[in-house]
Amino acid sequence: MSTVLRLSLPLGLWLAGFSGLYGLHGLMCSSRWAQPPLGLSERGLLVAAAIAAIAVQALCLAVLRSPRWRDPDPAIRRISLALAAIALVAAVWTLLPATAVLSCL
């Protein structure tokens, strides 16, 4: 794994999860939204999307910690692990409000 990818992947995944979840929330609030797929409620769909985004962040942290993907430079390894941990905390912190409050203004 290249150094640039190792450093940008955790925050890029957080950004994709954040944008996807709040985009889904905005779509649910639009007049074009018919019904949630698979028989889920709107809140259930948001919770499932948030859990999936958090699981991807946790998987990213696990992959970066594995010996197979270890960077030869210990400083890059520590920075990438710190960024992955920060992105995991940021995902939990920023995705939970969308699942707790379902309000369309």
Side-chain angles (χ1 to χ4, degrees), residues 49-69:
I51 289 172
I54 292 170
V56 167
Q57 285 295 143
L59 180 66
C60 176
L61 180 62
V63 165
L64 288 175
R65 289 190 64 174
S66 73
R68 181 176 181 196
W69 299 106

Side-chain angles (χ1 to χ4, degrees), residues 1-17 51-71 76-89 91:
M1 187 179 294
S2 74
T3 303
V4 173
L5 181 61
R6 180 182 310 279
L7 293 175
S8 63
L9 184 66
L11 294 178
L13 288 175
W14 168 79
L15 180 63
I51 289 172
I54 292 170
V56 167
Q57 285 295 143
L59 180 66
C60 176
L61 180 62
V63 165
L64 288 175
R65 289 190 64 174
S66 73
R68 181 176 181 196
W69 299 106
R70 221 172 249 177
D71 194 273
I76 297 296
R77 182 171 189 269
R78 282 193 307 271
I79 292 169
S80 65
L81 288 175
L83 286 173
I86 289 168
L88 179 61
V89 170

Side-chain angles (χ1 to χ4, degrees), residues 12-24 53 57 90-91 93-95 98:
L13 288 175
W14 168 79
L15 180 63
F18 179 83
S19 300
L21 185 80
Y22 281 97
L24 179 63
Q57 285 295 143
W93 184 257
T94 59
L95 299 181

